[in-house]
Amino acid sequence: MSTVDAPRRPRGDDDPRRIRAVAHVGAAAGAAFATCFLTGLISHFLQHPTSWFAWPTHPVWLFRLTQGLHVATGFVAVPLVLVKLGLVYRRLFVRPPLHSVRLLVGHLLERVSIGVLVGACLFQLVTGVMNVAQWYPWPFFFPDVHYAVAYLAIGALAVHIAVKLPLAQRYWHAPPAPVDTSSPLVDRRTAVTAAAAAAGVVAVGIAGQSVTPLRPFAFLSPRSGRGPQRLPVNRTAVQAGIAAAALDPDYRLTIAGPDGATRAWSLAELRDLPQTTATLPIACVEGWSVGAEWTGVRLSDLLRAAGTTTSTDVRVVSLEPVGGYRTSVLPAGFVADDSTLLALRLNGDVLDLDHGYPCRLIAPNRPGVLQTKWVGRIEVLP
Amino acid sequence: MTVLRILLGAVGVVAAGYGVSLLTELPPPLLLVIAEWVVAGVLAHDAVIAPLGVAAGWATRRWIPAPWRRPLVVAATCTVAVALLALPLLLDRPRPVNPTLLDRDYPLAIGLALAAVWIAAAAAGLRASWVRTRTGRRMVRADVPE
């Protein structure tokens, strides 16, 4: 062990092998954040539709993939960021260059930008991981804040990459020879191996919440993937306070046309209409997804029976009296899709109360939170 | 390269500025809470997690024989990452009444995963020790970081 007592280099961070390790682990963390950001944008614009964001109805598994990736890359980013920050931690204690105002200003600017970068990235990881487990010990609305801070994190990351690109490029491949025996507490290969191994272990721990065959191994997933009728529940009937309204024998599904004319169906009448079966996943914004077989009335058939158009957006309204997700707007392309149903049955049985009895919306390739449950009213928008 | 860097920097500044503009639409008391969470995250890392990591790294170099260091650091990193991500699953905290949420035996599942990590690390350490013993003094350079 000749390494402990070796003389210190004046500036340990100039150790090329450390810079190389930082570049490699940093690139992986950056890729994880970029994937997380882009997939997060998809989820955001599905929940806040804008005219320029068109999302297809097929393939039906696309949102399942993007949102599964969103949560998985966020989880995997945790060990990558930990190792990355560990490798550069000593930079926190670099003495400011007090002999030159110009250098000092640059130094302080870098400190502030790194502070924003680290603060925003850790905030995104912490709040995201807690949200997936439905833990909200804060007064703000998670989606709005997670969305806003995402721009801060990705912006600070882009600036950071712009600043560090030449350094990373210079040391990306085999570094020049001199072996610095003083600085690293761990060597480059150990750091990269640790980052890769921990990322792999975390990936196995979370991927199974979206990739069904890996489900038994998903030791970090907040859900087992089981539930009533072999499907987990994001928000139960008890949580929604919906049981009385949903079980009311006088239940009617009302369709309101763009002119305000309404027509109503009882549950028995809905069951008498032609039934369609579709295999579609519930893909939750929290990352979990499970495929299921749904049977019910095709939405476009129902709109035609109501004598109204199938070529405009519709608003689907739940029986829930309150709640941020009691309504959802279904874009015209999804309204017309043959696999978009008002489901009455799930995996062969009458829809469970927790899954939206008496009837729920199920459309392809959308966030589960927009697959409105306990539907009471459908408004055809002009 | 220079163009790419300027472009990346400009896009970054615009994106971060947009994030700030979105945040400023929130009521100031909420902004304060968000700032607290951001600062708490940085402090938790810089004042607790990272110093513990440095201490662990120092102790590893001081007391752990060379062939065992890499497996130990790798397994410890896996353990810390898993432990942090497991906090919302294991901590005693307010939980929604939803039987399909947090419905695994997490202590068992996480224990098994970490057992697998440490068994792999032990195997790697044993193998490295064995290689070193067999090759004798030719491997003494393994003491020096790569």
Side-chain angles (χ1 to χ4, degrees):
Chain A
M1 272 213 28
S2 60
T3 54
V4 168
D5 302 320
R8 282 194 168 273
R9 284 162 58 111
R11 290 186 61 198
D13 274 294
D14 289 342
D15 178 354
R17 293 155 308 139
R18 177 180 291 266
I19 300 172
R20 188 169 174 232
V22 171
H24 289 182
V25 179
F33 265 90
T35 309
C36 218
F37 180 73
L38 292 174
T39 50
L41 284 187
I42 290 172
S43 178
H44 174 86
F45 287 114
L46 282 171
Q47 294 173 68
H48 302 81
T50 58
S51 53
W52 54 264
F53 182 75
W55 184 249
T57 57
H58 286 81
V60 299
W61 44 260
L62 189 58
F63 180 74
R64 184 179 191 179
L65 174 73
T66 62
Q67 196 61 13
L69 266 180
H70 180 72
V71 173
T73 50
F75 269 60
V76 164
V78 167
L80 297 177
V81 166
L82 274 184
V83 174
K84 169 72 169 66
L85 290 180
L87 284 168
V88 296
Y89 182 54
R90 54 170 48 214
R91 300 274 304 160
L92 194 61
F93 305 102
V94 168
R95 211 173 291 162
L98 295 171
H99 57 278
S100 151
V101 174
R102 204 177 65 86
L103 287 180
L104 185 63
V105 169
H107 177 86
L108 292 178
L109 271 179
E110 191 185 3
R111 289 253 158 168
V112 170
S113 76
I114 298 289
V116 171
L117 173 65
V118 174
C121 286
L122 292 182
F123 181 86
Q124 290 300 83
L125 296 180
V126 168
T127 55
V129 168
M130 289 170 75
N131 169 74
V132 165
Q134 296 197 354
W135 185 12
Y136 308 104
W138 46 64
F140 49 80
F141 184 52
F142 166 79
D144 288 354
V145 176
H146 199 64
Y147 176 68
V149 179
Y151 284 102
L152 201 54
I154 208 74
L157 182 60
V159 171
H160 183 62
I161 293 170
V163 171
K164 298 294 185 185
L165 200 55
L167 199 62
Q169 206 177 31
R170 195 175 320 139
Y171 292 103
W172 187 265
H173 298 291
V179 172
D180 178 344
T181 55
S182 70
S183 66
L185 288 168
V186 295
D187 62 296
R188 185 202 69 87
R189 202 191 295 170
T190 300
V192 172
T193 309
V201 168
V202 168
V204 169
I206 194 66
Q209 73 163 347
S210 337
V211 185
T212 308
L214 295 177
R215 201 188 276 171
F217 305 103
F219 60 92
L220 290 174
S221 164
R223 292 173 186 274
S224 69
R226 290 185 294 271
Q229 300 174 323
R230 307 198 299 280
L231 189 66
V233 176
N234 182 272
R235 189 154 172 267
T236 64
V238 172
Q239 286 176 300
I242 196 66
L247 295 170
D248 185 347
D250 289 332
Y251 165 82
R252 293 286 183 279
L253 173 65
T254 305
I255 306 237
D259 51 358
T262 62
R263 178 151 178 213
W265 280 265
S266 70
L267 186 53
E269 288 167 338
L270 286 174
R271 284 176 180 151
D272 282 343
L273 291 172
Q275 303 288 299
T276 305
T277 295
T279 302
L280 294 173
I282 285 284
C284 185
V285 287
E286 286 159 16
W288 63 266
S289 53
V290 174
E293 191 186 271
W294 308 87
T295 302
V297 185
R298 195 177 273 158
L299 177 59
S300 52
D301 289 351
L302 191 64
L303 293 177
R304 272 187 219 102
T308 180
T309 172
T310 60
S311 57
T312 60
D313 299 356
V314 304
R315 179 180 294 119
V316 184
V317 184
S318 174
L319 297 168
E320 294 168 82
V322 290
Y325 296 104
R326 62 180 286 270
T327 74
S328 72
V329 171
L330 192 66
F334 290 79
V335 174
D337 194 276
D338 278 348
S339 56
T340 298
L341 310 179
L342 285 163
L344 306 172
R345 303 175 71 82
L346 163 57
N347 287 334
D349 288 307
V350 172
L351 197 61
D352 191 279
L353 185 59
D354 280 338
H355 287 309
Y357 177 90
C359 101
R360 86 171 295 171
L361 173 68
I362 183 77
N365 203 23
R366 300 188 90 206
V369 76
L370 301 181
Q371 311 275 30
T372 307
K373 300 199 277 193
W374 311 294
V375 174
R377 186 179 170 88
I378 294 172
E379 298 166 0
V380 181
L381 301 175
Chain B
M1 172 81 158
T2 313
V3 176
L4 176 71
R5 290 180 66 203
I6 292 171
L7 211 64
L8 205 55
V11 167
V13 169
V14 170
Y18 181 60
V20 170
S21 78
L22 288 175
L23 284 171
T24 52
E25 290 169 14
L26 297 170
L30 283 189
L31 276 181
L32 191 66
V33 176
I34 293 165
E36 284 169 8
W37 275 83
V38 170
V39 172
V42 174
L43 283 182
H45 178 268
D46 287 359
V48 181
I49 297 173
L52 286 177
V54 170
W58 182 85
T60 302
R61 281 174 68 89
R62 182 80 180 76
W63 286 304
I64 304 298
W68 286 92
R69 285 182 208 149
R70 181 170 296 159
L72 186 72
V73 169
V74 171
T77 306
C78 294
T79 305
V80 171
V82 167
L84 287 174
L85 289 167
L87 286 179
L89 311 173
L90 297 175
L91 283 183
D92 186 23
R93 46 108 177 166
R95 289 156 186 245
V97 185
N98 183 339
T100 70
L101 182 71
L102 304 171
D103 59 344
R104 289 174 184 263
D105 184 349
Y106 291 103
L108 176 71
I110 291 167
L112 284 176
L114 291 181
V117 165
W118 284 96
I119 288 169
L126 280 175
R127 186 170 166 277
S129 307
W130 181 73
V131 167
R132 161 179 285 222
T133 316
R134 253 174 60 102
T135 50
R137 299 208 58 81
R138 275 181 299 135
M139 284 297 287
V140 83
R141 290 286 297 169
D143 260 29
V144 178
E146 173 198 346

